[in-house]
């Protein structure tokens, strides 16, 4: 019982006492009771028993309900704050590292240049710096108009592009040939007929034709794969001025040494070049071609390096 409750109880007992005095509790008038035996005293005592009613005040004990304040212990629920540990999930931000995938854009460098291996159209031209034992000179090859091949070879009545190659500062050292896409519609550029003129005289010295046509370069995709190789066989006829015709079989062994090289020449640095080797008996030549450009370098009895070029994007008919 708290001190406050006890004080309330004492106040109530005092109140009851006052009431009893006012009402004459425990007091008897002898005039109302002629019998003066001690019974009257007992009756008075009974008045004291009325005090037992005070026990009803015990209901005040209901105040004890105040102890419900003990419910404050519910504050223990604050332990739920431990849930803050979930903030550890912030570590998930580490996923930002995934941005490293951006490096995949490097694949862009793997794109091949567009166009045929040897663009072949009227007006296309390539200039080369030629290095040989005698020194250096300039060589220019230009694709001319489509015309009848002529001559005495098996393809005389066919049409091909008239190609002129000039070497040196004058036009006397030149070669004229008739070339073009193979008749089968493939990416093969072939030679049908060729004439060579003397550097000093400018006169015709040698004419040649081939059956079937001699391969200049094969731009077919299956022939541009590294380590691929094949053999070209044809009949070559040489008509040297003042000499009888000379016809013999020629076997060329071609191989792709690389399908993705970087080559630097006076015209610039070219990526994704196709490196080819052609072997005829003991003679060997190597070429570097770039799609959309053509031949950028040649190594053999002399070295040719591209200095400038001009090509039409349209495909040859």
């Amino acid at each position: 019982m708290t001190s406050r409750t006890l004080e309330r109880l004492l106040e109530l007992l005092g109140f009851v006492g006052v009431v009893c005095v006012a009402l004459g509790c425990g007091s008897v008038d002898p005039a109302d009771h002629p019998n003066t035996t001690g019974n009257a005293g007992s009756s008075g005592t009974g008045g004291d028993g009325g005090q037992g009613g005070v026990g009803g005040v015990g209901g005040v004990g209901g105040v004890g309900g105040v102890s419900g304040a003990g419910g404050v212990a519910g504050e223990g629920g604050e332990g739920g704050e431990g849930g803050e540990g979930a903030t550890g999930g912030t570590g998930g931000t580490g996923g930002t590292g995934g941005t490293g995938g951006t490096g995949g854009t490097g694949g862009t460098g793997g794109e091949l240049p567009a166009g045929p291996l040897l663009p072949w159209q009227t007006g296309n031209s390539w200039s080369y710096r030629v290095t040989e034992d005698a020194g250096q000179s300039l060589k220019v090859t230009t694709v001319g108009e489509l015309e009848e091949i002529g001559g005495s070879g098996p393809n005389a009545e066919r049409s091909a592009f008239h190609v002129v190659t000039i070497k040196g500062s004058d036009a006397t050292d030149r070669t004229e040939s008739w070339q073009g896409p193979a008749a089968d519609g493939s990416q093969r550029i072939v030679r049908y007929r060729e004439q060579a003129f003397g550097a000093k005289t400018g006169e015709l010295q040698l004419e040649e034709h081939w059956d079937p046509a001699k391969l200049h370069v094969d731009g077919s995709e299956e022939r541009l794969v590294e380590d691929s190789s094949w053999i070209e066989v044809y009949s070559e006829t040489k008509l040297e001025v003042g000499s009888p015709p000379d016809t013999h079989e020629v076997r060329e062994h071609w191989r792709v040494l690389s399908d993705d090289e970087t080559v630097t020449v006076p015209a610039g640095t070219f990526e994704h070049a196709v490196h080819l080797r052609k072997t005829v008996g003991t003679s060997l030549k190597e070429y570097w071609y770039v799609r959309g450009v053509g031949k950028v370098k040649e190594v053999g009895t002399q070295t040719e390096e591209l200095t400038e070029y001009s090509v039409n994007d349209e495909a040859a008919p």
Side-chain angles (χ1 to χ4, degrees), residues 85-146:
T87 58
T90 304
T93 58
T96 303
T99 58
T102 303
T105 58
T108 304
E111 294 182 0
L112 295 177
L117 196 64
L118 179 55
W120 204 256
Q121 186 61 275
T122 299
N124 289 359
S125 65
W126 299 265
S127 298
Y128 299 93
R129 180 180 66 191
V130 180
T131 303
E132 49 192 335
D133 294 340
Q136 291 186 340
S137 59
L138 180 66
K139 170 182 172 180
V140 180
T141 296
T142 304
V143 179
E145 298 293 333
L146 188 66

Coordinates of all heavy atoms in Angstrom, one line a residue, residues 85-146:
G85 N 20.5 -2.4 -38.2 CA 21.6 -3.1 -38.7 C 21.3 -3.4 -40.2 O 22.3 -3.6 -41.0
A86 N 20.1 -3.3 -40.7 CA 19.8 -3.5 -42.1 C 20.5 -2.5 -43.0 O 20.6 -2.7 -44.2 CB 18.3 -3.5 -42.3
T87 N 20.9 -1.4 -42.4 CA 21.6 -0.4 -43.2 C 22.9 -1.0 -43.8 O 23.4 -0.4 -44.8 CB 22.0 0.8 -42.4 OG1 22.8 0.4 -41.3 CG2 20.7 1.5 -41.8
G88 N 23.2 -2.1 -43.3 CA 24.4 -2.7 -43.9 C 24.2 -3.0 -45.4 O 25.1 -3.2 -46.1
G89 N 22.9 -3.0 -45.8 CA 22.6 -3.3 -47.2 C 23.2 -2.2 -48.1 O 23.3 -2.4 -49.3
T90 N 23.6 -1.1 -47.5 CA 24.3 0.0 -48.3 C 25.5 -0.6 -49.1 O 25.8 -0.1 -50.2 CB 24.7 1.1 -47.4 OG1 23.6 1.5 -46.6 CG2 25.3 2.2 -48.2
G91 N 26.0 -1.6 -48.6 CA 27.2 -2.2 -49.3 C 26.9 -2.6 -50.7 O 27.7 -2.7 -51.5
G92 N 25.6 -2.7 -51.0 CA 25.2 -3.1 -52.3 C 25.6 -2.1 -53.4 O 25.6 -2.4 -54.6
T93 N 25.9 -0.9 -53.0 CA 26.4 0.1 -53.9 C 27.7 -0.3 -54.6 O 28.0 0.2 -55.7 CB 26.6 1.5 -53.2 OG1 27.6 1.3 -52.2 CG2 25.4 2.0 -52.6
G94 N 28.3 -1.3 -54.1 CA 29.5 -1.8 -54.7 C 29.2 -2.3 -56.2 O 30.0 -2.4 -57.0
G95 N 27.9 -2.6 -56.4 CA 27.5 -3.0 -57.8 C 27.9 -2.0 -58.8 O 27.9 -2.3 -60.0
T96 N 28.2 -0.8 -58.4 CA 28.6 0.3 -59.4 C 29.8 -0.1 -60.2 O 29.9 0.3 -61.3 CB 28.9 1.6 -58.6 OG1 27.8 1.9 -57.8 CG2 29.3 2.7 -59.6
G97 N 30.5 -1.0 -59.7 CA 31.7 -1.5 -60.4 C 31.3 -2.1 -61.7 O 32.1 -2.2 -62.6
G98 N 30.1 -2.5 -61.9 CA 29.6 -3.1 -63.1 C 29.8 -2.1 -64.3 O 29.8 -2.6 -65.5
T99 N 30.0 -0.9 -64.1 CA 30.2 0.1 -65.2 C 31.4 -0.3 -66.0 O 31.6 0.2 -67.0 CB 30.3 1.5 -64.6 OG1 31.4 1.6 -63.7 CG2 29.0 1.9 -64.0
G100 N 32.3 -1.1 -65.4 CA 33.5 -1.5 -66.1 C 33.2 -2.2 -67.4 O 34.0 -2.2 -68.3
G101 N 31.9 -2.7 -67.5 CA 31.5 -3.3 -68.8 C 31.6 -2.3 -70.0 O 31.6 -2.8 -71.1
T102 N 31.7 -1.1 -69.7 CA 31.8 -0.1 -70.8 C 33.0 -0.4 -71.6 O 33.1 0.0 -72.8 CB 32.0 1.3 -70.1 OG1 30.8 1.6 -69.3 CG2 32.0 2.4 -71.2
G103 N 34.0 -1.1 -71.1 CA 35.2 -1.4 -71.8 C 34.9 -2.2 -73.1 O 35.6 -2.2 -74.0
G104 N 33.7 -2.8 -73.1 CA 33.3 -3.5 -74.3 C 33.2 -2.7 -75.5 O 33.2 -3.2 -76.6
T105 N 33.1 -1.4 -75.4 CA 33.1 -0.6 -76.5 C 34.4 -0.7 -77.3 O 34.4 -0.3 -78.5 CB 32.8 0.9 -76.1 OG1 33.9 1.3 -75.2 CG2 31.5 1.1 -75.4
G106 N 35.4 -1.2 -76.7 CA 36.6 -1.4 -77.4 C 36.5 -2.3 -78.6 O 37.3 -2.2 -79.5
G107 N 35.4 -3.1 -78.6 CA 35.1 -3.9 -79.8 C 34.9 -3.1 -81.1 O 35.0 -3.7 -82.1
T108 N 34.6 -1.8 -80.9 CA 34.4 -1.0 -82.0 C 35.7 -1.0 -82.9 O 35.6 -1.0 -84.1 CB 34.1 0.4 -81.6 OG1 33.0 0.4 -80.8 CG2 33.9 1.3 -82.8
G109 N 36.9 -1.1 -82.3 CA 38.1 -1.1 -83.1 C 38.2 -2.3 -84.0 O 39.0 -2.4 -84.9
G110 N 37.4 -3.4 -83.7 CA 37.4 -4.6 -84.5 C 36.7 -4.5 -85.8 O 36.7 -5.4 -86.6
E111 N 36.0 -3.4 -86.1 CA 35.3 -3.3 -87.4 C 36.2 -3.2 -88.6 O 37.2 -2.4 -88.6 CB 34.4 -2.0 -87.3 CG 33.3 -2.1 -86.2 CD 32.4 -0.8 -86.2 OE1 32.7 0.1 -87.0 OE2 31.5 -0.7 -85.4
L112 N 35.8 -4.0 -89.6 CA 36.6 -4.0 -90.8 C 36.2 -2.8 -91.7 O 35.1 -2.4 -91.7 CB 36.4 -5.3 -91.6 CG 36.9 -6.6 -90.9 CD1 36.5 -7.8 -91.8 CD2 38.4 -6.5 -90.7
P113 N 37.2 -2.2 -92.5 CA 36.9 -1.2 -93.4 C 35.9 -1.7 -94.5 O 35.9 -2.9 -94.8 CB 38.2 -0.7 -93.9 CG 39.1 -1.9 -93.7 CD 38.6 -2.6 -92.4
A114 N 35.1 -0.8 -95.0 CA 34.1 -1.2 -96.0 C 34.8 -1.2 -97.4 O 35.8 -0.6 -97.6 CB 32.9 -0.3 -95.9
G115 N 34.1 -1.9 -98.3 CA 34.5 -1.9 -99.7 C 35.2 -3.2 -100.1 O 35.7 -4.0 -99.3
P116 N 35.4 -3.4 -101.4 CA 36.1 -4.6 -101.9 C 37.6 -4.5 -101.6 O 38.2 -3.4 -101.4 CB 35.8 -4.5 -103.4 CG 35.6 -3.1 -103.7 CD 34.9 -2.5 -102.5
L117 N 38.3 -5.6 -101.7 CA 39.7 -5.6 -101.4 C 40.5 -4.8 -102.4 O 41.5 -4.1 -102.1 CB 40.2 -7.1 -101.4 CG 41.6 -7.3 -100.8 CD1 41.6 -7.0 -99.3 CD2 42.1 -8.7 -101.0
L118 N 40.0 -4.8 -103.7 CA 40.6 -3.9 -104.7 C 39.5 -3.2 -105.5 O 38.8 -3.8 -106.4 CB 41.4 -4.8 -105.7 CG 42.1 -4.1 -106.9 CD1 42.9 -2.9 -106.4 CD2 42.9 -5.0 -107.7
P119 N 39.2 -2.0 -105.1 CA 38.1 -1.2 -105.8 C 38.5 -1.1 -107.3 O 39.6 -0.6 -107.6 CB 38.1 0.1 -105.1 CG 38.8 -0.1 -103.7 CD 39.8 -1.2 -104.0
W120 N 37.5 -1.4 -108.1 CA 37.9 -1.4 -109.5 C 36.8 -0.7 -110.3 O 35.7 -1.2 -110.6 CB 38.0 -2.9 -110.0 CG 38.8 -3.0 -111.2 CD1 38.4 -3.3 -112.5 CD2 40.2 -3.0 -111.3 NE1 39.5 -3.3 -113.4 CE2 40.6 -3.2 -112.6 CE3 41.2 -2.8 -110.3 CZ2 41.9 -3.2 -113.1 CZ3 42.6 -2.8 -110.8 CH2 42.9 -3.0 -112.1
Q121 N 37.1 0.5 -110.7 CA 36.2 1.4 -111.5 C 37.0 2.4 -112.2 O 38.1 2.8 -111.9 CB 35.3 2.1 -110.5 CG 34.2 2.9 -111.1 CD 33.2 2.0 -112.0 OE1 33.5 1.8 -113.2 NE2 32.1 1.6 -111.4
T122 N 36.5 2.8 -113.3 CA 37.1 3.8 -114.2 C 37.5 5.1 -113.4 O 36.6 5.6 -112.6 CB 36.2 4.2 -115.4 OG1 35.9 3.1 -116.2 CG2 36.9 5.3 -116.2
G123 N 38.7 5.5 -113.5 CA 39.2 6.7 -112.8 C 40.0 6.4 -111.5 O 40.7 7.3 -111.0
N124 N 39.8 5.2 -111.0 CA 40.6 4.8 -109.8 C 42.1 4.8 -110.1 O 42.5 4.4 -111.2 CB 40.2 3.5 -109.2 CG 38.8 3.4 -108.6 OD1 38.1 4.5 -108.6 ND2 38.4 2.3 -108.2
S125 N 42.9 5.3 -109.1 CA 44.3 5.4 -109.4 C 45.1 5.2 -108.1 O 44.6 5.6 -107.0 CB 44.7 6.7 -110.0 OG 44.5 7.8 -109.2
W126 N 46.3 4.7 -108.2 CA 47.2 4.4 -107.0 C 48.6 4.8 -107.4 O 49.1 4.5 -108.5 CB 47.2 2.9 -106.7 CG 45.8 2.4 -106.3 CD1 45.3 2.3 -105.0 CD2 44.9 1.9 -107.2 NE1 44.1 1.7 -105.1 CE2 43.7 1.5 -106.4 CE3 44.8 1.7 -108.5 CZ2 42.6 0.9 -106.9 CZ3 43.6 1.2 -109.1 CH2 42.5 0.8 -108.3
S127 N 49.2 5.6 -106.5 CA 50.6 6.0 -106.7 C 51.5 5.3 -105.7 O 51.2 5.2 -104.5 CB 50.8 7.5 -106.6 OG 50.0 8.2 -107.6
Y128 N 52.7 4.8 -106.2 CA 53.6 4.1 -105.3 C 55.0 4.6 -105.4 O 55.5 5.0 -106.5 CB 53.6 2.6 -105.7 CG 52.3 1.9 -105.6 CD1 51.4 1.8 -106.7 CD2 51.9 1.3 -104.4 CE1 50.2 1.2 -106.6 CE2 50.6 0.7 -104.3 CZ 49.8 0.6 -105.4 OH 48.6 0.0 -105.3
R129 N 55.7 4.5 -104.3 CA 57.1 4.8 -104.3 C 57.8 3.4 -104.5 O 57.6 2.5 -103.7 CB 57.5 5.4 -102.9 CG 59.0 5.7 -102.8 CD 59.4 6.3 -101.5 NE 59.2 5.3 -100.4 CZ 59.2 5.7 -99.1 NH1 59.4 6.9 -98.7 NH2 59.0 4.8 -98.2
V130 N 58.6 3.4 -105.5 CA 59.2 2.1 -105.9 C 60.7 2.2 -105.5 O 61.4 3.1 -105.9 CB 59.1 1.8 -107.4 CG1 59.8 0.5 -107.7 CG2 57.6 1.8 -107.8
T131 N 61.1 1.2 -104.7 CA 62.5 1.1 -104.2 C 63.2 -0.1 -104.8 O 62.7 -1.2 -104.5 CB 62.6 1.1 -102.7 OG1 62.0 2.3 -102.2 CG2 64.1 1.1 -102.2
E132 N 64.3 0.0 -105.5 CA 65.0 -1.1 -106.1 C 66.5 -0.8 -106.0 O 66.9 0.3 -105.5 CB 64.5 -1.4 -107.5 CG 64.5 -0.2 -108.4 CD 63.7 -0.5 -109.7 OE1 63.7 -1.7 -110.1 OE2 63.2 0.4 -110.3
D133 N 67.3 -1.7 -106.5 CA 68.8 -1.5 -106.4 C 69.2 -0.2 -107.1 O 70.1 0.4 -106.7 CB 69.5 -2.7 -107.1 CG 69.3 -4.0 -106.3 OD1 68.9 -3.9 -105.1 OD2 69.4 -5.1 -106.8
A134 N 68.5 0.1 -108.2 CA 68.9 1.3 -108.9 C 68.5 2.6 -108.3 O 68.9 3.7 -108.7 CB 68.4 1.3 -110.3
G135 N 67.7 2.5 -107.2 CA 67.2 3.7 -106.5 C 65.7 3.7 -106.4 O 65.1 2.7 -106.4
Q136 N 65.1 4.9 -106.3 CA 63.7 5.1 -106.1 C 63.1 5.8 -107.3 O 63.7 6.6 -107.9 CB 63.4 5.8 -104.8 CG 63.7 5.1 -103.5 CD 63.2 5.8 -102.3 OE1 63.0 7.1 -102.3 NE2 63.1 5.1 -101.2
S137 N 61.8 5.4 -107.5 CA 61.1 6.1 -108.6 C 59.6 6.1 -108.2 O 59.2 5.5 -107.2 CB 61.3 5.3 -109.9 OG 60.9 4.0 -109.8
L138 N 58.8 6.7 -109.1 CA 57.3 6.8 -108.8 C 56.6 5.9 -109.9 O 56.9 5.9 -111.0 CB 56.9 8.2 -108.9 CG 55.4 8.4 -108.7 CD1 55.0 8.1 -107.2 CD2 55.0 9.9 -109.0
K139 N 55.6 5.2 -109.4 CA 54.8 4.3 -110.3 C 53.3 4.7 -110.0 O 52.8 4.8 -108.9 CB 55.0 2.9 -109.9 CG 54.1 1.9 -110.6 CD 54.4 0.5 -110.1 CE 53.3 -0.5 -110.6 NZ 53.6 -1.9 -110.1
V140 N 52.6 4.9 -111.1 CA 51.2 5.3 -111.0 C 50.3 4.4 -111.9 O 50.6 4.2 -113.1 CB 50.9 6.8 -111.5 CG1 49.5 7.1 -111.4 CG2 51.8 7.7 -110.7
T141 N 49.3 3.8 -111.3 CA 48.4 2.9 -112.0 C 47.0 3.5 -112.0 O 46.5 3.9 -111.0 CB 48.3 1.5 -111.3 OG1 49.6 0.9 -111.4 CG2 47.3 0.6 -112.0
T142 N 46.4 3.6 -113.2 CA 45.1 4.2 -113.4 C 44.2 3.3 -114.2 O 44.6 2.7 -115.2 CB 45.2 5.5 -114.2 OG1 46.2 6.4 -113.5 CG2 43.9 6.2 -114.3
V143 N 43.0 3.1 -113.7 CA 42.0 2.3 -114.4 C 41.3 3.1 -115.4 O 40.7 4.2 -115.0 CB 41.0 1.7 -113.4 CG1 39.9 0.9 -114.1 CG2 41.7 0.9 -112.3
G144 N 41.3 2.7 -116.7 CA 40.7 3.5 -117.7 C 39.3 2.9 -118.1 O 38.6 2.3 -117.2
E145 N 38.9 3.2 -119.3 CA 37.5 2.8 -119.7 C 37.4 1.3 -120.0 O 38.4 0.6 -120.2 CB 37.2 3.6 -121.0 CG 37.2 5.1 -120.8 CD 36.1 5.6 -119.9 OE1 35.0 4.9 -119.8 OE2 36.2 6.6 -119.3
L146 N 36.1 0.9 -120.0 CA 35.8 -0.5 -120.3 C 35.8 -0.6 -121.8 O 35.1 0.2 -122.5 CB 34.4 -0.8 -119.7 CG 34.0 -2.3 -119.8 CD1 34.9 -3.2 -118.9 CD2 32.5 -2.4 -119.4

